[in-house]
Amino acid sequence: MRRLIQSFLRIGSFFCLFFIAAQRPATAQPSVERVADREAIAAVLRAQQSAWNRGDVDAFLEGYWHSPELTFSGSNGVARGWDAVLARYKKSYPDRAAMGQLTFSDLEFRFLGPDAALVLGKWYLQREKDELGGVFTLVWQRFPEGWKIIHDHTSAVAQPKTNP
């Protein structure tokens, strides 16, 4: 019975917060006005791309929140915690050849408040034997040390076949 009550309280709290957020006017600045924040997040993504392209997974993960609460959702399910996300990357990309050359593109920013952002984009890996690509949704939070990814949902999307 206590669990049932706790569940209702959690659900009720969620809907209450949703209702309050829906009723008040948006206070976050539109993304076009948040130039410094956009640039700070883009700088983290450029550093990640650079780290990946030199084969440094550990440096790539510096863009993520170093916390057991970090989450990564992908085709293999959900990885929870910074250590699990690192292990997932190292298992999926065990060597330089598997990593290839990474490019991010088509970034879209939506600021959810003064210290939170949602970034959509595309990723592309060019490898010696094949190509991979897809889309991602990153949830960012500003910490005293800067913007960090707190949740990553990455999906592969089939690449169009090119005719010779």
Side-chain angles (χ1 to χ4, degrees):
M1 181 66 164
R2 186 164 57 164
R3 281 192 165 165
L4 182 62
I5 292 170
Q6 288 173 336
S7 294
F8 280 123
L9 288 174
R10 271 189 241 122
I11 291 168
S13 297
F14 170 77
F15 284 112
C16 181
L17 288 172
F18 178 77
F19 179 76
I20 290 169
Q23 296 302 311
R24 68 179 172 179
T27 56
Q29 295 172 318
S31 60
V32 294
E33 295 178 16
R34 305 266 313 250
V35 175
D37 290 326
R38 286 170 53 97
E39 180 51 37
I41 291 170
V44 173
L45 289 168
R46 284 192 303 273
Q48 284 188 302
Q49 183 175 300
S50 177
W52 187 274
N53 291 337
R54 67 177 184 272
D56 191 344
V57 175
D58 294 296
F60 177 83
L61 263 283
E62 288 177 15
Y64 288 85
W65 183 30
H66 197 265
S67 167
E69 295 181 47
L70 170 67
T71 52
F72 180 100
S73 298
S75 59
N76 293 327
V78 177
R80 296 184 183 281
W82 192 88
D83 291 331
V85 172
L86 176 63
R88 179 221 166 268
Y89 272 112
K90 288 192 173 187
K91 180 180 179 185
S92 298
Y93 302 97
D95 57 35
R96 194 68 196 90
M99 292 177 75
Q101 290 293 299
L102 174 66
T103 304
F104 294 132
S105 65
D106 300 336
L107 300 178
E108 298 177 31
F109 294 81
R110 176 171 300 185
F111 289 93
L112 306 173
D115 298 310
L118 182 73
V119 177
L120 304 177
K122 294 181 180 178
W123 61 274
Y124 174 75
L125 278 183
Q126 176 67 52
R127 301 190 291 193
E128 192 173 309
K129 295 183 180 185
D130 64 359
E131 304 173 0
L132 296 173
V135 295
F136 59 82
T137 303
L138 304 174
V139 180
W140 294 78
Q141 184 172 337
R142 184 196 331 254
F143 292 95
E145 63 274 14
W147 287 96
K148 298 287 182 181
I149 300 164
I150 64 170
H151 176 74
D152 179 340
H153 188 157
T154 296
S155 298
V157 175
Q159 299 297 305
K161 304 271 188 217
T162 56
N163 293 329

